[in-house]
Amino acid sequence: MTLEKIPESARIADFFHHIDAGFINRRLCLKYLGPLASEYTKRSSDENHHMAKLANDHLLTTMVIDVCQHVGVPTLWGAIASGESMHMFRSDHRLEPCPEVYDEPRVSHEIFQDLECQKRIVISYHTSHLVSDTGTMVLSEGHQKGYVESIVGRLHDRGAHYEVEPLIIGSPWLDHPRNNDPTGHLMWIGRDHGEILPQDIEQFAKMVDVNVANSDEWMSAMRELPEEQVKQSIANLLNEPTKKDWGGESNDHFSGNVVLNGKTRTAAFLLKGLTNFREMTLEMCGKRADQIVRLVNSGADISIVQHSHLVGEAVRQTLRALSVFPGNPGKFCIIDGQSTYRILKAYDLI
């Protein structure tokens, strides 16, 4: 589903990012829960029919995600950056196809890398832990069919490569009692949630009143607009001062005054101006896209990338991979050149 087709109410809401598990290593999950394993035993069903087993797996998945959120388990990229030989992580990823899941007792396949990594990242597991036919099909067909998988696992540094030992693999999922959706609509947007549109931010909302005739209109204006003017304009709309740039900054502007869904949120901005007036690529975001990594690590509720031109799909995928993951309510936003132009024109800043 495209972002524009997701209702505004669904884009801006804070949902619990669950996992519709197709693979669960129950032993590892219970081990990870530690003392809470006894709580799972109390709350789970001892009946042996399909619905009882399904409910137990959803409960176990929820409890594992809650522990991850409580202790601040990072994404896969955060686990790699830690430099530790073994580290827990939780992330949404695209996987290479693995048709062997139908026939082999143990399989390995690679995680498609949104960020450049010096080592291969291989996920390995016993297929006896597969718990659904759909989950098996998704792993078999991989990202080439558009699938995205949420993973909770342990990352092991094997020297020549990284190996992922999964606890849970499944589709990003919002159909959960915590999200209070009697319509069932949320079950269709699990892999697309987390991104908001610029106009969803209250201070930019008037941009919807601006119509752009053609690409020449906004490109001719943005081609001449300095990054500092864009920064100052955004700060003015947020009633905030700007800060001086320095080489080690984690963001170009940090706001505590962004209003989304009637609530005041924090937002970190990465601003890219005229130095490269062309479509934004990962190569324009520092070595191994470390500017995006630092942006997300700012700890804001919303991570925002703004550029004077178009923003490439790889940038969006990387920002999503770092911002949206199981249990985390973080959001991200792309403000490309046309959107920047519409915002500034709507508020008479250009």
Side-chain angles (χ1 to χ4, degrees):
M1 181 180 294
T2 61
L3 181 60
E4 289 76 12
K5 290 184 179 180
I6 298 176
E8 179 185 1
S9 58
R11 288 198 308 268
I12 64 179
D14 294 323
F15 293 126
F16 172 63
H17 182 336
H18 188 48
I19 303 174
D20 183 28
F23 170 101
I24 303 181
N25 187 323
R26 299 184 182 92
R27 180 188 64 81
L28 285 181
C29 287
L30 291 171
K31 182 179 179 181
Y32 178 65
L33 290 180
L36 288 176
S38 59
E39 180 65 21
Y40 167 77
T41 301
K42 292 178 185 177
R43 296 170 58 186
S44 60
S45 172
D46 57 4
E47 297 183 23
N48 197 34
H49 56 82
H50 173 74
M51 294 305 297
K53 293 179 180 178
L54 185 63
N56 287 346
D57 285 343
H58 277 278
L59 172 62
L60 185 58
T61 299
T62 300
M63 293 183 70
V64 168
I65 293 173
D66 283 347
V67 171
C68 287
Q69 182 68 5
H70 179 71
V71 302
V73 169
T75 63
L76 173 63
W77 308 114
I80 289 174
S82 74
E84 298 180 14
S85 59
M86 193 280 287
H87 204 299
M88 285 291 297
F89 76 91
R90 48 177 172 154
S91 299
D92 287 357
H93 291 281
R94 293 174 287 170
L95 305 182
E96 296 294 347
C98 186
E100 295 82 9
V101 292
Y102 285 110
D103 305 307
E104 300 295 332
R106 182 172 175 81
V107 296
S108 296
H109 49 129
E110 292 196 32
I111 291 180
F112 185 87
Q113 296 187 27
D114 295 296
L115 283 174
E116 180 185 348
C117 183
Q118 295 179 343
K119 301 180 184 180
R120 295 166 53 242
I121 307 173
V122 178
I123 184 167
S124 302
Y125 51 89
H126 290 284
T127 54
S128 59
H129 299 299
L130 291 166
V131 296
S132 80
D133 292 339
T134 300
T136 303
M137 178 195 72
V138 169
L139 289 169
S140 172
E141 297 182 346
H143 74 91
Q144 293 180 359
K145 291 296 182 71
Y147 295 120
V148 175
E149 294 277 56
S150 292
I151 304 171
V152 177
R154 297 193 292 195
L155 176 73
H156 300 272
D157 188 343
R158 302 301 191 194
H161 70 280
Y162 292 110
E163 182 176 6
V164 168
E165 179 185 22
L167 280 68
I168 301 168
I169 310 173
S171 299
W173 201 245
L174 301 183
D175 188 16
H176 191 280
R178 293 181 186 175
N179 293 332
N180 190 29
D181 175 41
T183 67
H185 292 163
L186 292 183
M187 69 184 296
W188 303 110
I189 65 171
R191 70 177 223 182
D192 299 307
H193 83 290
E195 182 174 4
I196 62 171
L197 291 171
Q199 59 261 36
D200 294 331
I201 295 173
E202 185 174 300
Q203 288 92 339
F204 304 155
K206 285 174 61 176
M207 67 179 288
V208 299
D209 298 326
V210 175
N211 294 316
V212 179
N214 51 52
S215 60
D216 288 339
E217 178 183 347
W218 69 265
M219 290 183 72
S220 60
M222 295 307 300
R223 183 179 284 109
E224 305 298 329
L225 199 64
E227 179 183 317
E228 188 59 35
Q229 184 176 340
V230 174
K231 178 192 289 190
Q232 186 64 60
S233 298
I234 289 174
N236 288 343
L237 290 174
L238 299 172
N239 296 320
E240 295 169 338
T242 60
K243 64 179 182 180
K244 292 183 179 180
D245 292 336
W246 63 284
E249 62 190 0
S250 59
N251 55 75
D252 293 309
H253 186 77
F254 192 96
S255 173
N257 196 37
V258 168
V259 178
L260 180 72
N261 197 20
K263 299 178 182 178
T264 301
R265 310 294 181 95
T266 57
F269 291 79
L270 171 62
L271 308 175
K272 285 290 181 182
L274 296 178
T275 304
N276 291 286
F277 191 68
R278 57 183 175 85
E279 180 174 306
M280 187 178 187
T281 62
L282 288 178
E283 291 73 21
M284 296 163 60
C285 301
K287 186 178 180 180
R288 292 182 59 197
D290 65 335
Q291 288 180 325
I292 297 180
V293 174
R294 294 202 306 268
L295 176 75
V296 175
N297 288 343
S298 298
D301 300 322
I302 311 169
S303 297
I304 302 176
V305 169
Q306 180 277 331
H307 182 46
S308 57
H309 204 284
L310 301 177
V311 175
E313 185 59 26
V315 175
R316 175 177 268 103
Q317 290 286 0
T318 298
L319 187 56
R320 173 182 291 280
L322 293 169
S323 305
V324 182
F325 48 90
N328 180 57
K331 299 184 185 301
F332 71 98
C333 181
I334 299 288
I335 306 179
D336 63 11
Q338 182 172 178
S339 294
T340 303
Y341 172 76
R342 292 172 64 202
I343 291 169
L344 299 184
K345 190 172 182 180
Y347 293 92
D348 298 320
L349 295 169
I350 191 173

